[in-house]
Amino acid sequence: VISLLSGKNIPRSEMKLIRKALELAEARDNFARLLGGGEKPDTKEGFNNSVQCLTENGFKSLCDISKAFLDLCGKQKDYNKGLALMRVSNVFYMQRKGHTKREFLGDVIQKHKFWKNLSFWRASLKAAVVSKMFKSRKSEQYYSFIQAWMVENLHKMVMFNVDIKDIKQFVIGIMQKHNLPFARRRELDAFVERMET
């Protein structure tokens, strides 16, 4: 990560070694932690979200490593590390000389197939629920949290190119699993319908 921030272009031979290393959970954990500023990747509060401008070489290398990282997170069902990468996807960017537009890491990785896996989104919700330590999962506070999480993350699902049919399937499954009251289900259904238009 230090090499990327300093603008180093990583050769193909070294990329192969990095990809091999990322097969290990510990290496994926370290990569996510370093990108997050040294904090634990499974906690949202720990991430350093100050924007980082990279050189063109450094940005390309970071994108290549991030794609390999997501490949292996998907293969190993390491969804929390994928979530960690998503959280910093709007932190790292590149700005070509003479251009005003910034290209963020998220612009590149949002097309990756990892995000189309609904298991990732289910795991993300589960992690969010566990972190709140609700006393009851049949309270208005709990239902409000689930609904708010859904609204926020349905936007992300669209941004990360999840098919609308899969989004609908995801919403139905979550509403049933968490026993959302009818009124909240109706609101979420209406929200999804608006997303289609």
Side-chain angles (χ1 to χ4, degrees):
V1 173
I2 294 171
S3 297
L4 297 177
L5 294 177
S6 64
K8 180 183 176 184
N9 185 29
I10 297 178
R12 185 175 295 179
S13 58
E14 199 170 321
M15 270 299 301
K16 286 183 179 179
L17 294 174
I18 290 171
R19 187 180 182 90
K20 184 68 177 174
L22 288 173
E23 292 179 5
L24 300 174
E26 184 179 357
R28 293 193 301 275
D29 188 66
N30 287 336
F31 177 70
R33 181 180 290 116
L34 288 168
L35 280 185
E39 301 294 341
K40 188 177 179 184
D42 295 340
T43 57
K44 185 174 182 178
E45 294 77 10
F47 274 80
N48 174 7
N49 286 318
S50 59
V51 178
Q52 300 281 338
C53 181
L54 305 181
T55 66
E56 194 166 340
N57 282 340
F59 184 77
K60 181 183 181 304
S61 295
L62 176 60
C63 291
D64 289 344
I65 293 173
S66 296
K67 290 174 186 175
F69 176 82
L70 288 173
D71 285 343
L72 291 159
C73 284
K75 185 177 179 181
Q76 303 290 342
K77 299 182 179 179
D78 195 355
Y79 301 122
N80 283 341
K81 301 303 181 302
L83 179 59
L85 184 61
M86 175 186 276
R87 287 175 180 151
V88 296
S89 64
N90 63 344
V91 172
F92 299 96
Y93 75 95
M94 171 195 69
Q95 191 167 359
R96 299 180 193 277
K97 193 173 181 179
H99 294 258
T100 56
K101 186 179 178 182
R102 295 176 174 183
E103 182 177 5
F104 282 87
L105 175 61
D107 297 327
V108 177
I109 65 169
Q110 67 185 18
K111 298 173 185 175
H112 196 281
K113 63 182 179 181
F114 177 83
W115 315 113
K116 299 181 188 299
N117 187 340
L118 296 183
S119 294
F120 161 73
W121 300 97
R122 293 187 194 102
S124 298
L125 175 56
K126 183 178 179 180
V129 168
V130 169
S131 72
K132 290 293 180 181
M133 295 185 291
F134 288 99
K135 291 180 180 178
S136 170
R137 295 194 176 186
K138 293 183 179 180
S139 64
E140 279 303 308
Q141 183 186 18
Y142 179 75
Y143 296 141
S144 293
F145 176 81
I146 296 295
Q147 185 173 0
W149 185 96
M150 291 283 283
V151 169
E152 178 185 350
N153 283 273
L154 290 176
H155 280 300
K156 290 180 183 176
M157 292 177 88
V158 171
M159 187 173 69
F160 282 79
N161 296 306
V162 180
D163 189 272
I164 191 66
K165 291 180 181 178
D166 292 331
I167 291 175
K168 286 181 175 179
Q169 177 190 336
F170 176 76
V171 170
I172 291 169
I174 294 301
M175 291 191 302
Q176 290 175 345
K177 181 174 181 178
H178 295 273
N179 298 310
L180 290 188
F182 176 74
R184 293 187 183 274
R185 294 187 186 208
R186 190 170 55 188
E187 287 174 6
L188 283 172
D189 283 337
F191 182 79
V192 173
E193 283 182 22
R194 290 195 299 272
M195 287 172 61
E196 287 188 276
T197 58

